[in-house]
Amino acid sequence: MSSTRQTPSDFLKQIIHRPVVVKLNSGVDYRGVLVCLDGFMNIVLDQTEEYINGQLKAKYGIAFLRGNNVLYISAQKRKA
């Protein structure tokens, strides 16, 4: 077991400018490149795609997601 622990803040710093998936409380997923976020988990994504029930519904350029709607954010593997 490693003696160094990664905090949520460390994780978020590592995924800036990387592809992410953001799931909202409503069940909608947004996928895009994480531009920035703040302490309230307000998130700005670029190259944003909106998925509802796993189906692509819309594409946006830059999107702002309000933090109180965010269920989770996860790193997305880069497309080959």
Side-chain angles (χ1 to χ4, degrees):
M1 189 156 141
S2 175
S3 63
T4 59
R5 293 185 184 259
Q6 184 180 32
T7 67
S9 180
D10 293 336
F11 168 73
L12 293 171
K13 288 176 188 172
Q14 289 176 354
I15 63 171
I16 297 288
H17 304 297
R18 299 201 43 207
V20 297
V21 176
V22 179
K23 184 155 192 111
L24 301 186
N25 296 327
S26 65
V28 177
D29 289 349
Y30 287 91
R31 299 176 190 177
V33 177
L34 180 62
V35 176
C36 64
L37 58 98
D38 64 14
F40 297 103
M41 285 297 290
N42 294 316
I43 295 170
V44 178
L45 296 179
D46 194 11
Q47 303 171 28
T48 310
E49 298 175 335
E50 179 182 53
Y51 288 83
I52 300 174
N53 297 324
Q55 298 289 329
L56 177 62
K57 293 296 180 180
K59 290 186 177 188
Y60 308 103
I62 294 177
F64 177 84
L65 304 174
R66 190 168 172 198
N68 67 334
N69 295 318
V70 174
L71 182 62
Y72 68 78
I73 181 171
S74 65
Q76 181 179 1
K77 294 184 179 175
R78 294 182 190 266
K79 294 178 183 175

